[in-house]
Amino acid sequence: MKKMTPIAFALLSLTALSAAAQTRLLVAKSRMPITVAGDYSPGNIAFPTACDEHGRYYVKLIKPGPGLVGSVFRFSSKGAMEAEFDTSGALINRYATRPDGGVVMMHTDGYFKYLDNFGPDGTRDSSVALDRPPIPFFPSQLAVFHSGEILISGLQYHPGYKAGTAIFDPAGHLVKQVILDGDAETERAIANNAHAQQRNTSAIDTSVAITGDDGLVYLMRATSPPIVYAISAAGDVVRKIVVKPPAGTGAPDFGIRVVKNRLVVQFRRSCDSDSCRSSAYAVVDVTTGKPLAAYE
């Protein structure tokens, strides 16, 4: 008999303050207890955690033991478990949600990289080999366009520490290699300074890609301040948004969301005597980059 693991999600609401420039407080309104089958570590969730336009949550849970072994689960907005996706052989936590409720993951086999498609019920639909782009790179970010194309981004470690971003069609064929202007600055910093090398390679490795409700993919480079690129399925950079961090925050975290022309980016605060994981959120207009609000 499988062990049932209890998990809890917090639903957040905010206290309204009259001045838009003020930091608004997010408070927990309620918690949804849920259970999943299997021996998982309660409270131990692997990043990134995602949601889709229907309010469904995608969470990777970690089993006890070495590594980050565990399945991705999809839950309804009411907390009901809808599907389990087997991550065996997948590249750590890297997965992307599909518009139909399925997910996309990746695995490697020697020099070849494969895209694994999972249907809404959790079954593996297909695995397709990806064309090698002109600048090969290790995949660290994934996102699926509404039309089915896939954005993959990451870092080429040898030679030269170059960032790479590319669009592939559902059959794995290369559509376009995307050149981001901010990546050139990052590459120069990596090449010229050993300390910058560590900082900037981390900024690319820990970047985040998500699909907005407008059908564009938003790729956030975890620089300071973070830069968010709005990219079309054809590989065109539609917009470049520089997000001003809330006061007292450090690097951006994994949380990023685009809904109804609003871009939300999560930031983490430095450890202090009270907490090591407090978060703040910046909200900007996704079309203009204008700051709209900050939340604590």
Side-chain angles (χ1 to χ4, degrees):
M1 181 177 180
K2 285 189 175 181
K3 178 180 178 181
M4 302 299 289
T5 303
I7 310 291
F9 288 123
L11 297 181
L12 300 178
S13 63
L14 57 89
T15 58
L17 300 179
S18 57
Q22 288 181 283
T23 298
R24 307 180 182 185
L25 182 64
L26 287 173
V27 294
K29 180 180 179 180
S30 61
R31 292 185 179 274
M32 294 187 302
I34 63 172
T35 57
V36 296
D39 185 16
Y40 289 92
S41 301
N44 201 353
I45 297 174
F47 288 106
T49 297
C51 55
D52 63 22
E53 297 172 38
H54 304 286
R56 298 174 293 200
Y57 296 89
Y58 299 76
V59 180
K60 176 163 181 186
L61 301 179
I62 304 173
K63 291 184 176 181
L68 295 174
V69 179
S71 296
V72 171
F73 293 89
R74 188 182 73 240
F75 301 98
S76 73
S77 59
K78 302 299 183 182
M81 194 188 85
E82 297 181 336
E84 177 180 356
F85 305 93
D86 181 11
T87 63
S88 301
L91 287 171
I92 317 178
N93 299 323
R94 297 174 180 91
Y95 67 92
T97 64
R98 297 191 332 199
D100 63 357
V103 301
V104 172
M105 303 180 200
M106 291 190 68
H107 75 273
T108 60
D109 185 2
Y111 290 103
F112 297 97
K113 297 179 177 64
Y114 293 85
L115 200 68
D116 300 322
N117 286 286
F118 292 81
D121 62 351
T123 58
R124 186 188 298 262
D125 287 341
S126 63
S127 291
V128 296
L130 297 177
D131 290 345
R132 284 174 61 87
I135 303 176
F137 56 87
F138 185 83
S140 295
Q141 294 86 38
L142 279 172
V144 181
F145 293 93
H146 289 175
S147 53
E149 287 81 7
I150 302 100
L151 179 140
I152 302 174
S153 187
L155 184 68
Q156 171 189 302
Y157 287 97
H158 300 289
Y161 293 98
K162 291 183 178 294
T165 301
I167 309 293
F168 297 87
D169 69 17
H173 302 307
L174 180 67
V175 175
K176 184 178 181 180
Q177 183 123 27
V178 183
I179 305 300
L180 304 175
D181 56 2
D183 284 345
E185 299 173 10
T186 299
E187 290 164 10
R188 283 194 293 270
I190 291 172
N192 295 332
N193 184 283
H195 178 67
Q197 180 180 114
Q198 182 179 8
R199 182 177 67 250
N200 287 289
T201 54
S202 176
I204 295 173
D205 282 341
T206 59
S207 296
V208 181
I210 59 101
T211 308
D213 63 347
D214 55 6
L216 299 174
V217 162
Y218 290 81
L219 174 63
M220 182 189 73
R221 289 296 190 218
T223 53
S224 183
I227 301 173
V228 180
Y229 298 92
I231 303 172
S232 73
D236 299 320
V237 178
V238 179
R239 286 185 295 276
K240 174 184 174 182
I241 306 164
V242 179
V243 181
K244 181 181 179 181
T249 59
D253 220 330
F254 288 99
I256 174 175
R257 187 80 173 121
V258 175
V259 178
K260 297 180 179 178
N261 288 328
R262 300 293 187 267
L263 165 66
V264 183
V265 178
Q266 180 182 356
F267 293 81
R268 57 181 178 269
R269 295 195 181 278
S270 301
C271 292
D272 54 34
S273 58
D274 298 322
S275 172
C276 278
R277 286 300 298 178
S278 61
S279 296
Y281 302 84
V283 183
V284 304
D285 187 300
V286 79
T287 60
T288 65
K290 177 184 177 182
L292 299 177
Y295 298 100
E296 185 74 32

